[in-house]
Amino acid sequence: MASIMQCLYFSAGRCRSCSQMTRPYQQQLQGKAEHCAQLLAGHEQLRFLPPQPSVESGFRNKAKMVISGTSENPTIGILDADGHGVDLRHCGVCDPALRAAFPVIERFIRQLGLIPYDVPRRKGELKHVIITLAPSGQLMVRWVLRTKKHFVALRDSLPLFSKALPAAKVVSVNFLPEHKAVLEGSEEIVLSAAQTLPMELNGIGMHLRPQGFFQTNTPIAAALYRQAASWVRQLQPASVWDLYCGVGGFA
């Protein structure tokens, strides 16, 4: 009998982000493959390879967490329909290394008195914390603020933060002054000496900038790169264009 991933947040109705949670994974995979084939049915020359499966839990290398609540009792997760925080720090799709960073994030919110942004009231400062995990185990931690009110506190606390979370290779502050449903603004200040997070896959070294994109499932990204490399070896193209693909892993 096919197994179904269990999630207490989903069962309790606190989070419905994984909308296909009640379907066995193989059914999910087959359904997506069939949908893709339907969308491209007009291209009869295409040949579809079997879909590449993933592990069902702990696969995300990036956590985009909304900070809500209060400085003394922050929530790290998402917002409900009314704009109030739902704590998801034990989310099963996040890599355990990401989940291990959340207690440190919470401790620094309390210690520095960072004021979580209240979406319904449009008041507060700290909107999001975005954490990315490299294959090496190193982390990029990005604090997203409404204004520069807490910037000095975060900058001056960097030595303590680095000691509390040694894996944090890159630490930055992003500013999102507008009240809108986006994760980050255009202005970013890197606090750490390292400006980029090394992301090595299949023996190829890449560097992720704070506002750059990298596939959120590392083993699947590695499989995608291997498949692309196989096609290139077969076709021997004279040139390659890598467009809208983030760090340039396909190239």
Side-chain angles (χ1 to χ4, degrees):
M1 182 177 179
S3 62
I4 298 176
M5 179 179 170
Q6 300 298 315
C7 173
L8 295 177
Y9 295 123
F10 188 91
S11 300
R14 297 180 64 191
C15 176
R16 294 290 176 172
S17 298
C18 298
S19 59
Q20 299 195 52
M21 180 69 71
T22 57
R23 294 183 64 194
Y25 179 64
Q26 287 302 321
Q27 289 185 17
Q28 295 181 35
L29 202 63
Q30 187 61 34
K32 293 173 183 178
E34 291 173 355
H35 182 59
C36 184
Q38 289 172 5
L39 293 174
L40 298 172
H43 301 273
E44 297 180 358
Q45 75 279 13
L46 293 180
R47 179 175 64 88
F48 286 89
L49 299 176
Q52 174 69 48
S54 166
V55 296
E56 295 183 47
S57 63
F59 57 83
R60 276 194 68 94
N61 60 30
K62 187 174 186 178
K64 301 176 285 188
M65 310 302 273
V66 178
I67 308 300
S68 192
T70 65
S71 300
E72 298 77 20
N73 188 29
T75 62
I76 302 174
I78 60 173
L79 298 177
D80 63 17
D82 297 321
H84 300 120
V86 177
D87 199 280
L88 297 179
R89 68 186 69 192
H90 300 296
C91 175
V93 302
C94 291
D95 190 285
L98 296 176
R99 298 198 296 268
F102 297 149
V104 179
I105 298 297
E106 179 187 18
R107 187 159 71 248
F108 271 77
I109 292 173
R110 289 178 173 176
Q111 289 179 352
L112 301 180
L114 306 181
I115 305 169
Y117 185 65
D118 188 318
V119 171
R121 298 174 61 204
R122 301 193 178 193
K123 292 184 177 180
E125 295 296 323
L126 178 58
K127 292 187 171 184
H128 311 120
V129 172
I130 304 172
I131 310 176
T132 303
L133 172 68
S136 65
Q138 294 179 321
L139 298 171
M140 176 188 292
V141 180
R142 304 172 60 212
W143 302 86
V144 182
L145 303 177
R146 183 175 68 90
T147 72
K148 289 184 168 64
K149 179 175 180 177
H150 291 321
F151 173 73
V152 173
L154 284 168
R155 182 195 64 193
D156 293 349
S157 69
L158 180 62
L160 289 176
F161 185 76
S162 298
K163 184 177 180 180
L165 191 62
K169 173 78 171 180
V170 180
V171 181
S172 69
V173 178
N174 180 277
F175 299 99
L176 177 60
E178 299 89 357
H179 178 83
K180 57 184 180 182
V182 296
L183 280 172
E184 60 192 42
S186 59
E187 183 181 2
E188 186 121 13
I189 299 177
V190 180
L191 304 179
S192 56
Q195 300 287 305
T196 61
L197 184 66
M199 305 290 282
E200 183 170 323
L201 278 187
N202 303 334
I204 303 297
M206 295 165 281
H207 289 270
L208 179 65
R209 295 183 176 87
Q211 297 193 53
F213 171 77
F214 189 85
Q215 282 76 16
T216 56
N217 187 320
T218 301
I220 292 297
L224 287 171
Y225 293 167
R226 288 193 298 270
Q227 183 60 64
S230 174
W231 285 332
V232 168
R233 284 193 295 269
Q234 293 173 28
L235 298 173
Q236 293 293 307
S239 62
V240 174
W241 288 14
D242 190 335
L243 304 177
Y244 315 108
C245 296
V247 297
F250 287 102

